[in-house]
Amino acid sequence: MLVKLDELDRAIIGALVDDARATYAEIGGQVGLSAPAVKRRVDRLVQQGAITGFTARVEPSALGWTTEAYVELFCRGKTSPAEIGLAVSRHPEVVSACTVTGEADALLHIRATDVRHVEQVIERIAAEPFVTRTKSAIVLTRLIT
Amino acid sequence: MLVKLDELDRAIIGALVDDARATYAEIGGQVGLSAPAVKRRVDRLVQQGAITGFTARVEPSALGWTTEAYVELFCRGKTSPAEIGLAVSRHPEVVSACTVTGEADALLHIRATDVRHVEQVIERIAAEPFVTRTKSAIVLTRLIT
DNA sequence: GCTGAAAGTAGACACCT
DNA sequence: AGGTGTCTACTTTCAGC
């Protein structure tokens, strides 16, 4: 399901990434199309799956979640990705997770209120039966995104 | 600038994260408020910085960006976070970057069209004068987000 | 601080180019 | 495929509670 996009589609996506609540007329003004034409393309992009949704960007630090960490997970012999996914999804502090090549089996991105909280989450995850070892890196400065 | 939120604010933020193009009336229906009341709270949340914006979620794989990797950066003695940030921001494939505790100095998240493309980006970043070594992990399966 | 009603605007749909 | 017109519905402001 690879989507074919022209320059107009890319411009519209760019405008929506910039401001998902912009009106179709505003987007049309930026890309040189009428509002109905923009809406038709946006509907098509959503239907095709190029745009998966519209979301608010929340600043975690404004809510008191000031600390983040990346945790490498080392797992027992034959642990399936699905098993890891199921286990880590039970922890709301895990905002992103994937299996990776290399020594570690999975890499988790954790957001928490402080370092003590990060520690508690890592302890809970390390207690999963399939986890043999973890290796953590606390984020010092966010450079991009 | 820590923001104080009540349950209504959290419900509104949740609704907006779910669908940033929902009408105030729709959100009001979910949280039990009238549309004007919702708008006032949203305006306040944006003004306070709890909500930093509204954006479209784009599916990279639909655009042909099927491969992602995490790259650990090992840097020369005294390299400032700003210097690393400036250098990596020149590469559009770097979607996220931060300095971290532990052996590595920085951790980058890269999105590219294929493994060959990832390799090229890593080569370009490794050519930066302050980079002494890199260590990469290609993402196999995305479990969360 | 929320509700309710006013005027202003954006969205949706059919139709035409 | 994109543009125009029209109706509907939402956003917005202000009054009142």
Side-chain angles (χ1 to χ4, degrees), chain A residues 33-116:
Chain A
L33 247 56
S34 69
V38 172
K39 179 181 160 32
R40 276 198 290 263
R41 280 176 178 261
V42 172
D43 287 345
R44 197 195 71 226
L45 289 167
V46 170
Q47 198 268 319
Q48 287 174 327
I51 296 173
T52 56
F54 302 94
T55 173
R57 283 196 292 102
V58 176
E59 180 58 46
S61 66
L63 279 81
W65 290 59
T66 58
T67 312
E68 45 181 331
Y70 287 90
V71 179
E72 290 178 282
L73 234 55
F74 300 81
C75 300
R76 205 173 51 194
K78 282 163 48 157
T79 306
S80 72
E83 195 177 345
I84 300 173
L86 188 67
V88 299
S89 66
R90 282 198 291 265
H91 305 276
E93 293 89 352
V94 179
V95 294
S96 150
C98 53
T99 56
V100 291
T101 62
E103 299 154 44
D105 296 297
L107 181 61
L108 316 183
H109 182 196
I110 288 175
R111 282 196 185 274
T113 53
D114 51 42
V115 180
R116 178 80 192 101

Side-chain angles (χ1 to χ4, degrees), chain B residues 50-61:
Chain B
I51 296 174
T52 56
F54 302 95
T55 174
R57 284 197 291 101
V58 176
E59 180 59 47
S61 66

Side-chain angles (χ1 to χ4, degrees), chain A residues 20-21 53 57 95 97 99 140 145, chain B residues 20-21 52-53 57 95 99 140 145:
Chain A
R21 283 184 82 87
R57 283 196 292 102
V95 294
T99 56
L140 296 171
T145 295
Chain B
R21 284 185 80 86
T52 56
R57 284 197 291 101
V95 294
T99 56
L140 297 172
T145 296

Side-chain angles (χ1 to χ4, degrees), chain B residues 81-133:
Chain B
E83 195 176 346
I84 300 172
L86 188 66
V88 299
S89 65
R90 281 198 292 267
H91 305 276
E93 293 88 352
V94 179
V95 294
S96 152
C98 53
T99 56
V100 291
T101 62
E103 299 154 45
D105 296 297
L107 181 61
L108 316 182
H109 182 197
I110 289 175
R111 282 195 185 275
T113 53
D114 51 43
V115 180
R116 177 81 193 99
H117 187 185
V118 169
E119 191 181 14
Q120 289 168 353
V121 174
I122 294 171
E123 276 173 21
R124 290 206 307 269
I125 291 169
E128 295 284 350
F130 60 81
V131 175
T132 59
R133 185 162 73 88

Side-chain angles (χ1 to χ4, degrees), chain B residues 1-60:
Chain B
M1 56 192 264
L2 207 157
V3 178
K4 190 65 191 161
L5 304 174
D6 61 18
E7 284 312 308
L8 249 35
D9 291 324
R10 291 180 196 283
I12 289 170
I13 289 174
L16 281 172
V17 168
D18 251 35
D19 178 13
R21 284 185 80 86
T23 65
Y24 294 124
E26 282 169 356
I27 299 168
Q30 290 177 37
V31 306
L33 246 55
S34 69
V38 173
K39 179 183 161 30
R40 279 175 48 183
R41 281 175 179 261
V42 172
D43 287 346
R44 197 196 72 225
L45 290 167
V46 170
Q47 200 267 318
Q48 286 174 327
I51 296 174
T52 56
F54 302 95
T55 174
R57 284 197 291 101
V58 176
E59 180 59 47

